Amino acid sequence: MKFNSIRFKATILYTSILAVILIVFSGILFAVTRHILYRNLDEELRVKASEIVTIIKSYEALTSYETRQQHLINKLLGLEDRARLIIDEMWRSDVQALNLNNDYINIYDAAGRSVIRSGNFNESVASLFHHRLPFSGDQVVFKTIGDASLRLRAISLPFSFRQKNMLVIQVGTSLDAVARTLKWVLYFIGLSIFFILGLTSFLGRFFAGRILKPVTNVTRIADDITHTDLNLRIREMEADVEMQGLIRSFNAMIERLEQSFAHVNEFSSHVAHELKTPLAIMRGELELALSETRDVDEYRRVIAVTLEETDRMIRIIKDLLLLAKFDYNPEVFRFEKFDLTLFLKEIYEQSRILADSKQIAVQCDFPDAAIFINGDKTHLRRLFFNLINNAVTFTPAGGKIHLSLAVSVHAASIEIRDTGIGISPENLSRIFAKFYRIPNPRQDTASSGSGLGLSIARSIARAHKGDIAVVSRPGKGAVFTVTLPLA
């Protein structure tokens, strides 16, 4: 596994977070276990001390309610010995039941003198109790005491004897059992943490690999993609929701690249196709001019033809670049809100001058009310003049061109109607294709334009979220309808 990989970093992150959680949880578990063990041990010490106090009070009861004469009679009859034997038996049974054999027991009087102590309560233990367990005659005290060789949990329990003497009983028991239990708990927690972290690291690496599988697929497909094959895509169903966004973005990027390459290829093929003819004409004319000596007029004609073809190539290149901008760079449009009625009236006045050379009458039918749209005036002007120029081109002298504007709820419709030669059904579906020229029967050739005018016009309309429709029949003229949304 590479240290700078996402899989490694994700595994380390998940394992570290889990390690912190486990350590905190284990610490809390250990503290709670220790508290419970010490609480149970304190309860045992309280029971032991209370039982010892009960035995002592039994001896006290034996002697406190009999007179001297009763004491002598009971002694003669042996009743006192039997009572003491019963109490001794109670003590032995308590020692056995409460496991007092290994405990350290000491009873102090109010002056701090030791009254009764167990056999194992030697001087070192007495010194330990004296220095570590505070002498208290009014409350019960629990404390852990010990040194390097001995650790005890002890209780100091005050009680009254014969209603006038205050005694304190101290009982200490070894913490070895508690320490062994806590040690095993600690071992178990440590081993569990290491086992869980190891298992988590393995599973984390496995699942991180599964999660990152779409990224691997993206990398593999990206390596396989070339400019000649941009059809590869990643299936979204194999990835999680978060990865699906990445896959969609990647697929969209590849689609855009595919469209861009297609556009570049289309642009290149169109340029090569459209420039081939004028270049061939120019070369032929120049070769003809150089083949033998010509007069000045012939040279002038060759130069004029060359300039004409050069201008045609420049127009084609400009139109192609403009069309490319419209299709792939919408930011070239500068939208503003303006009055469409007033704008079309300006177009009408200029179109009359354009049609005057062929004595074509241009008419208009615009409403008086202002109609506002959001658009780019410069490019909309190009759209309408492309349509009007086509109408003038394909309308015979003395014909008519009619401009009209109608408004619906959400859009404005501008009609450009002419009385020209019309468009045949087989040409009608192709007129918006790039470089397609409609044959002009009156000229016995295709129109002399670049074949990009209508394609540019439609791109402008669609950039304004509108469109262009056409209705025509041969010999009946054509009607182009431009639809633009209102502001």
Side-chain angles (χ1 to χ4, degrees):
M1 181 184 292
K2 297 180 180 180
F3 292 153
N4 62 342
S5 66
I6 296 178
R7 179 186 298 183
F8 175 77
K9 293 178 180 178
T11 302
I12 293 299
L13 177 63
Y14 296 152
T15 304
S16 300
I17 293 174
L18 183 61
V20 172
I21 294 174
L22 287 176
I23 290 173
V24 172
F25 175 76
S26 299
I28 296 173
L29 179 62
F30 182 81
V32 170
T33 303
R34 183 179 181 277
H35 173 75
I36 292 174
L37 290 174
Y38 271 77
R39 187 185 63 185
N40 292 341
L41 190 60
D42 291 345
E43 189 62 29
E44 290 180 10
L45 287 174
R46 183 188 294 273
V47 171
K48 290 178 180 181
S50 299
E51 287 297 324
I52 294 173
V53 171
T54 301
I55 297 297
I56 293 173
K57 288 187 176 292
S58 298
Y59 278 104
E60 176 188 358
L62 179 64
T63 58
S64 60
Y65 293 108
E66 60 181 6
T67 61
R68 182 176 180 79
Q69 292 79 4
Q70 289 173 332
H71 176 69
L72 291 174
I73 292 172
N74 289 338
K75 189 173 183 179
L76 290 173
L77 295 176
L79 297 176
E80 181 182 7
D81 294 336
R82 283 197 294 272
R84 292 182 184 278
L85 289 174
I86 293 173
I87 294 174
D88 290 342
E89 183 63 28
M90 291 174 57
W91 168 253
R92 281 191 294 271
S93 64
D94 283 346
V95 168
Q96 199 170 28
L98 298 174
N99 194 21
L100 295 171
N101 292 324
N102 297 321
D103 291 337
Y104 300 88
I105 302 171
N106 185 33
I107 299 177
Y108 286 98
D109 60 12
R113 295 186 299 271
S114 179
V115 178
I116 302 173
R117 64 173 59 177
S118 60
N120 58 357
F121 202 91
N122 53 36
E123 291 301 324
S124 62
V125 176
S127 175
L128 190 64
F129 270 76
H130 178 71
H131 291 94
R132 302 292 178 88
L133 187 62
F135 182 84
S136 176
D138 57 352
Q139 62 180 353
V140 180
V141 177
F142 294 95
K143 193 171 185 183
T144 300
I145 60 176
D147 53 20
S149 59
L150 182 66
R151 285 184 59 80
L152 303 173
R153 184 67 174 176
I155 182 175
S156 177
L157 177 66
F159 69 97
S160 60
F161 182 70
R162 291 182 178 175
Q163 299 181 353
K164 58 181 179 179
N165 297 323
M166 178 60 66
L167 300 179
V168 177
I169 181 171
Q170 295 178 329
V171 181
T173 188
S174 175
L175 285 172
D176 290 345
V178 174
R180 283 193 300 272
T181 303
L182 291 177
K183 183 173 70 173
W184 282 110
V185 169
L186 198 58
Y187 286 160
F188 175 76
I189 289 175
L191 292 175
S192 299
I193 289 176
F194 280 112
F195 174 76
I196 293 174
L197 290 180
L199 181 62
T200 302
S201 178
F202 172 77
L203 293 177
R205 180 181 178 183
F206 173 75
F207 285 112
R210 292 291 299 273
I211 293 172
L212 294 174
K213 184 179 179 181
V215 179
T216 306
N217 292 338
V218 170
T219 304
R220 178 179 55 80
I221 293 177
D223 292 337
D224 294 340
I225 290 174
T226 63
H227 70 283
T228 58
D229 183 12
L230 292 170
N231 295 321
L232 294 177
R233 299 291 187 273
I234 302 175
R235 291 188 298 175
E236 294 184 18
M237 66 180 63
E238 297 179 354
D240 297 327
V241 175
E242 293 79 5
M243 285 298 178
Q244 287 178 2
L246 172 64
I247 292 174
R248 282 193 294 269
S249 298
F250 179 82
N251 288 339
M253 180 190 69
I254 297 301
E255 186 174 355
R256 290 194 297 272
L257 285 175
E258 186 177 16
Q259 293 175 354
S260 298
F261 273 101
H263 171 65
V264 170
N265 291 333
E266 181 185 23
F267 182 85
S268 301
S269 63
H270 286 329
V271 169
H273 178 268
E274 292 300 318
L275 296 186
K276 180 173 63 176
T277 300
L279 285 173
I281 294 173
M282 292 167 61
R283 180 175 180 175
E285 292 289 343
L286 291 173
E287 287 178 346
L288 183 62
L290 293 174
S291 62
E292 57 183 83
T293 304
R294 307 282 180 176
D295 56 21
V296 176
D297 291 336
E298 181 65 18
Y299 284 129
R300 288 180 180 275
R301 187 191 67 80
V302 170
I303 294 174
V305 170
T306 303
L307 285 176
E308 183 181 349
E309 295 299 327
T310 302
D311 290 339
R312 182 165 177 256
M313 287 192 297
I314 292 174
R315 288 198 306 272
I316 291 173
I317 292 173
K318 285 183 177 180
D319 287 344
L320 281 172
L321 291 175
L322 183 64
L323 194 59
K325 287 182 180 180
F326 291 163
D327 290 340
Y328 297 96
N329 187 20
E331 289 78 12
V332 299
F333 291 93
R334 298 291 182 266
F335 289 92
E336 59 178 311
K337 186 176 180 180
F338 62 90
D339 183 358
L340 180 62
T341 304
L342 184 61
F343 175 76
L344 289 176
K345 287 180 180 180
E346 295 176 1
I347 298 291
Y348 164 71
E349 294 296 337
Q350 295 171 4
S351 64
R352 290 177 61 190
I353 300 174
L354 185 65
D356 188 60
S357 61
K358 292 182 66 175
Q359 287 98 34
I360 296 175
V362 180
Q363 302 170 346
C364 71
D365 182 14
F366 301 144
D368 295 330
I371 300 171
F372 289 95
I373 65 169
N374 287 319
D376 186 317
K377 285 186 175 181
T378 301
H379 292 112
L380 285 176
R381 189 181 303 275
R382 178 186 292 271
L383 182 157
F384 289 115
F385 276 117
N386 279 352
L387 297 178
I388 294 172
N389 183 65
N390 280 346
V392 172
T393 300
F394 292 96
T395 298
K400 295 181 181 180
I401 297 175
H402 186 267
L403 308 180
S404 64
L405 171 62
V407 181
S408 61
V409 178
H410 301 293
S413 298
I414 303 97
E415 280 191 359
I416 300 175
R417 183 187 301 268
D418 62 58
T419 59
I421 62 176
I423 305 171
S424 63
E426 60 270 17
N427 292 325
L428 196 61
S429 61
R430 302 166 60 189
I431 60 174
F432 291 106
K434 296 181 179 70
F435 300 107
Y436 183 75
R437 300 183 183 91
I438 301 174
N440 192 339
R442 289 178 171 79
Q443 298 179 358
D444 296 326
T445 182
S447 62
S448 60
S450 65
L452 295 172
L454 290 180
S455 182
I456 291 174
R458 186 175 63 174
S459 295
I460 295 174
R462 290 181 175 178
H464 286 75
K465 299 180 180 179
D467 206 349
I468 299 179
V470 59
V471 176
S472 178
R473 287 188 299 169
K476 298 296 183 178
V479 180
F480 285 83
T481 303
V482 180
T483 304
L484 298 173
L486 298 176

